[in-house]
Every structure is written in structure tokens, then in C-alpha cells.
Amino acid sequence: MKYKSLKGFSDILGEDIALWQALEREINAIMRLYGYSEIRTPIVEPTELFTRSVGEATDVVGKEMYTFWDKGTPPESLALRPELTAPTARAYIQYEIAKQQQITKWYYVGQAFRYEQPQKGRSRQFHTCGVELLGAAGAKADTEVITLGYDLLKKIGINNFTLRINSLGNYEERTKYKQALVEYLSKYANDLSAESQRRIATNPLRVLDSKDSRDSEVIANSPSILDFLSTDSETHFSDLQECLQSSGVSFVVDNKLVRGLDYYTKTVFEFQTKSLGSQDALGGGGRYDNLISELGGTPTPATGFGFGLERLILAARLEQGLQFVPNKLDVYLVAMGEEAQKKIPAISHKIRLAGFSADYDLLNRSVKAQMKESNKKEARFAIIIGEQELKTNSVVLKNLETSEQKNISQEEILTEISC
Ligand code: AMP
């Protein structure tokens, strides 16, 4: 085979499609319950949108982003979106949504691209579903998005997960914390992995994310961001915990949870599972009160999350959550002879227009082969038309579940198959 899909880019087909469609149905249903409307943004955006928002020092932008120059004069640097919050924020500013409504609740489902080493639960093109709640600063808004994510996981049969929450404070608090962290990490730099040593200078918070066993002891004894919070951030965090508790959402506080992206303020959270090995994040998010203003919009508090759909499918499968339910065919039409072959497209067209699924042989195969096909497709009915039926404008209707068959007029088909 000469052409194959690229490494880290998957095709989705066959039985998997039924799972994906079932997942998308559940997503659409839960978003309706929570009052979120869909937004679809382009796959390509100016590179700068991501360098300014996600941050150049992050892996997502610094190492993993697919960028290219377009054919303009002068050429512009474009990027395949590595995540969907920044494009959504861009749209929020571009369409001046803040002037139209105080609260905006958006959700999206779409592809994202990161040049990562593919492995189970990690690919270069993946699908993400997320929500963004813009315009509300309180812990109630964080509670809403977290609860939505929690409910979605449960709805698709994923119970084996832990919700971790933390607060990163505001910019000043985090800056002070970073200083303390850099001081601490520098003291133990020789005990750290090379990657973490490098990160002390570039992105010290990310050291806390390290899964390298050489780093774990130093990380365990590192200063806690929670000791650097102002009263305002502290109250926000305790309100969040209270709201989650009273909503029946179980969580653990993890003061080492920092998440990879730069734009978070106060609340961050992650839904983690043990069932997927090292790629344990099913999804996560947090509050990003400065992002809209940093991208040139009116300051707008905001919060949201993103789930990885490939990981949701993997985890739901392991817990027998989403099931493959084949769509049953209503009618398979069987033609005996050339004249009947010609009549069949018109009859099936009528059946399909009435909202029933219909299928027939496109290869002029024998009646036996056609009957075999009707069984293979698990059709509810077979409609058989031969010369005799053509003369009398009738058909033979065979109920394939009971094997009963009878002769009916063509006008009666729809009434008979709707029973
Ligand atoms: P992030 O924006 O990094 O928080 O990613 C949001 C979610 O997308 C993660 O929790 C994962 O479930 C999923 N995800 C991120 N990167 C990948 C990837 N390379 N392959 C598959 N899923 C991913």
C-alpha cells in the first residue's frame, strides 16, 4: 500500500463510528441540559494567537505546535490549533459578544493537533470537547463547568476517575510562588532529571507535573501554592469546595496540580483515571480571568475545560460504558428479474422519504444472494418483487423476525412496515 494515514493521525470507521456518534449524542444532550450552545471555529489560526495565550514556554506551543507559512505577501505564520480555548476567546472578542450578553456559555467538539510521540491515549491529531463559561467571576461558575464534566463522565459510564482541584491564585500570587519554587528547586537541582533542571528556568511550575521518579521526592517537599493565596483567592477556593460538596461531586485537593498552559488563574482541575496508563488525564481546565484582556478584549472573567474524546472512548470501553448499537435496517428490497430491478429504486425512495431505512442490491445479484444479504443486514422486512407482483402493483412483504410473509399492494407498504 503506497499511502497510509500519517503517524499519530487516525481514521475512524466501522463499529468505532457508532461509539463516536453515541458519545457526540451524549455531549450534545448534556450541553442542552446545562444551557451551552455550540461554537465551531477554524482549524487554522494565526500562530501568534497561541504564543500569546497558551504561552511560548509551554510544551504545547514551544515544542508541539504544527506551524507553517502561508502563501501571502508577506507570508503569515499559521498554526493548526493545538487547543480550542484560545480560538474561542478570539471569536468572543471578534464578535463583541460581551456587548450582547453578560454571560456566554459555549461548547465545542473538534480536532486539535500536537506534535507528540504517539502512544495509547496520545496522538498528533485528537478530538477535544470543551466548554467555556465567560462573564462570571464567582466559584459558582467553576462549580458549574466542573459538575458538567463530572456528569458527562458518569453519563457515558466512566466511574473510575478522580477529580483533582487546585488554585493557582492570581498573577501576583503566582509570581511570588514561582520565585519561592525556583529558589527551592535550584537548591535541589542536582537531584532532578535533566528535563526538570531545564524547566527551573523556562517553566518552573511544570516541574511539578513531572512523572520522572527522580523528581518525585523533591516535588513532594516543594512549597505549596495554597500558602501563597490572598484572602480573595482563598475564599474563592473554599467556596468552590463547598459548592462541589453540596452538589455531590467528589474531589481531592492536589496542591501540585498546575496544568500545562499559562493562562490559568485561581481554579484549575483535572479528571484523571488509572485505567489509561501514563496518559491519565481524561480532561481538565480552569479559570482564565486574564485571557480575554490579554488578547485585546474587555476584561472578562472566564472558566472552562477540555476533554480528550479518544481517551473518553478508551475509558468508556473499558468500563463497558458506551456500547456499539448497530442501526437496524427497516427494509431490504429483493428484485426478481430485470423489470423488477428497475422498479426497486422508486419504491425504496418512497420508503426512505417516509423516514424508514431501505437498501437493495446494486450488483444485479441472484435472488438467493439478495435474500442472504437481507438477513446479513438484519433487516426487519424484506420486500420481494417479481414479474407477477409488477403486473398487479403488489409486493411480497416478509417479516424477517417471524418469517411470516404476505402479498400486499404497493400502497400498503408504509402502513405495514410502520407496525
Ligand atoms: P490540555 O489542553 O492539554 O489540557 O488537553 C485537554 C485534554 O485533551 C487532555 O486532558 C487529554 O484528554 C486530551 N489530549 C491532550 N493532548 C492529547 C493528545 N496528544 N492525544 C490525545 N488526547 C490529548
Side-chain angles (χ1 to χ4, degrees):
M1 169 64 196
K2 193 170 167 195
Y3 299 112
K4 283 191 176 159
S5 58
L6 297 169
K7 184 177 168 188
F9 288 72
S10 301
D11 300 303
I12 305 170
L13 65 159
E15 292 190 0
D16 282 351
I17 282 293
L19 291 184
W20 279 82
Q21 289 181 344
L23 175 59
E24 283 159 15
R25 267 197 304 276
E26 295 294 356
I27 290 171
N28 289 328
I30 202 152
M31 295 304 171
R32 189 184 63 78
L33 295 181
Y34 275 81
Y36 284 67
S37 53
E38 190 179 355
I39 173 164
R40 301 185 187 193
T41 61
I43 279 169
V44 178
E45 298 275 359
T47 303
E48 201 193 324
L49 176 65
F50 301 107
T51 46
R52 279 197 54 189
S53 55
V54 181
E56 259 168 306
T58 61
D59 286 352
V60 169
V61 165
K63 286 196 201 159
E64 298 161 2
M65 197 154 63
Y66 281 88
T67 55
F68 60 97
W69 294 99
D70 74 359
K71 297 187 196 307
T73 0
E76 189 182 359
S77 176
L78 303 180
L80 298 185
R81 60 186 185 194
E83 57 97 58
L84 272 71
T85 296
T88 307
R90 192 260 311 131
Y92 182 80
I93 300 165
Q94 181 173 344
Y95 301 106
E96 301 187 328
I97 305 291
K99 284 192 184 155
Q100 301 159 38
Q101 56 199 29
Q102 254 185 311
I103 297 287
T104 298
K105 293 179 172 194
W106 274 340
Y107 80 98
Y108 54 73
V109 179
Q111 287 97 329
F113 304 84
R114 295 182 189 176
Y115 193 82
E116 294 195 85
Q117 233 10 67
Q119 63 179 86
K120 185 174 146 208
R122 192 162 79 185
S123 47
R124 290 179 174 170
Q125 174 184 272
F126 60 99
H127 294 74
T128 159
C129 146
V131 302
E132 311 296 352
L133 167 44
L134 299 119
K140 250 196 292 181
D142 296 333
T143 309
E144 175 163 298
V145 297
I146 294 175
T147 311
L148 193 164
Y150 190 88
D151 286 356
L152 175 65
L153 292 179
K154 296 265 174 189
K155 193 85 197 29
I156 60 176
I158 301 178
N159 292 296
N160 179 11
F161 69 86
T162 307
L163 165 64
R164 296 182 180 281
I165 65 170
N166 191 18
S167 175
L168 298 181
N170 63 23
Y171 183 72
E172 288 78 38
E173 292 149 34
R174 195 152 79 216
T175 309
K176 279 195 196 133
Y177 172 65
K178 263 191 200 170
Q179 279 167 1
L181 185 65
V182 168
E183 239 170 71
Y184 168 83
L185 293 173
S186 307
K187 257 200 281 178
Y188 297 99
N190 290 340
D191 301 332
L192 293 171
S193 63
E195 183 65 15
S196 289
Q197 287 184 21
R198 193 183 58 78
R199 281 187 171 144
I200 297 177
T202 56
N203 196 349
L205 289 186
R206 287 283 280 144
V207 175
L208 303 180
D209 266 349
S210 164
K211 295 207 167 92
D212 196 310
S213 55
R214 280 168 295 177
D215 300 333
S216 52
E217 204 185 316
V218 178
I219 293 172
N221 298 316
S222 64
S224 164
I225 176 82
L226 297 178
D227 295 330
F228 290 75
L229 298 186
S230 62
T231 318
D232 171 52
S233 295
E234 241 172 31
T235 310
H236 188 101
F237 196 41
S238 59
D239 285 354
L240 170 68
Q241 294 178 54
E242 203 180 304
C243 284
L244 287 174
Q245 259 152 9
S246 55
S247 306
V249 173
S250 26
F251 61 88
V252 292
V253 172
D254 176 354
N255 65 9
K256 302 291 183 302
L257 179 75
V258 289
R259 315 247 324 120
L261 320 179
D262 266 4
Y263 50 60
Y264 291 116
T265 46
K266 293 186 177 164
T267 310
V268 284
F269 57 91
E270 203 158 89
F271 295 94
Q272 294 176 355
T273 179
K274 289 210 165 69
S275 59
L276 299 184
S278 64
Q279 302 309 303
D280 59 358
L282 292 167
R287 175 161 283 286
Y288 53 96
D289 288 347
N290 301 326
L291 181 63
I292 300 293
S293 55
E294 272 164 23
L295 291 176
T298 339
T300 308
T303 182
F305 70 70
F307 275 119
L309 298 196
E310 282 77 3
R311 292 187 195 174
L312 293 189
I313 298 248
L314 282 169
R317 258 209 176 115
L318 287 172
E319 294 190 52
Q320 267 90 47
L322 291 168
Q323 299 284 339
F324 168 65
V325 187
N327 277 333
K328 279 217 163 166
L329 182 66
D330 291 314
V331 179
Y332 193 83
L333 293 107
V334 175
M336 301 164 74
E338 250 175 63
E339 281 312 302
Q341 296 270 15
K342 284 187 211 153
K343 182 84 184 162
I344 272 188
I347 298 180
S348 48
H349 187 216
K350 264 195 194 150
I351 296 174
R352 288 165 174 164
L353 279 180
F356 297 98
S357 56
D359 207 355
Y360 54 87
D361 173 53
L362 295 169
L363 300 171
N364 298 336
R365 286 183 294 184
S366 69
V367 172
K368 197 172 156 202
Q370 292 178 62
M371 285 308 295
K372 214 168 146 191
E373 189 68 15
S374 69
N375 285 317
K376 197 169 147 198
K377 290 198 181 276
E378 296 186 52
R380 285 169 54 226
F381 295 99
I383 285 182
I384 306 149
I385 311 175
E387 267 174 39
Q388 189 57 35
E389 286 75 30
L390 281 178
K391 273 187 213 148
T392 53
N393 259 346
S394 65
V395 298
V396 173
L397 180 77
K398 181 171 180 184
N399 183 323
L400 293 174
E401 278 151 22
T402 61
S403 289
E404 269 173 70
Q405 65 177 56
K406 57 185 172 185
N407 203 286
I408 59 170
S409 75
Q410 288 182 12
E411 283 68 44
E412 288 170 311
I413 292 177
L414 296 180
T415 336
E416 287 286 335
I417 63 174
S418 41
C419 303

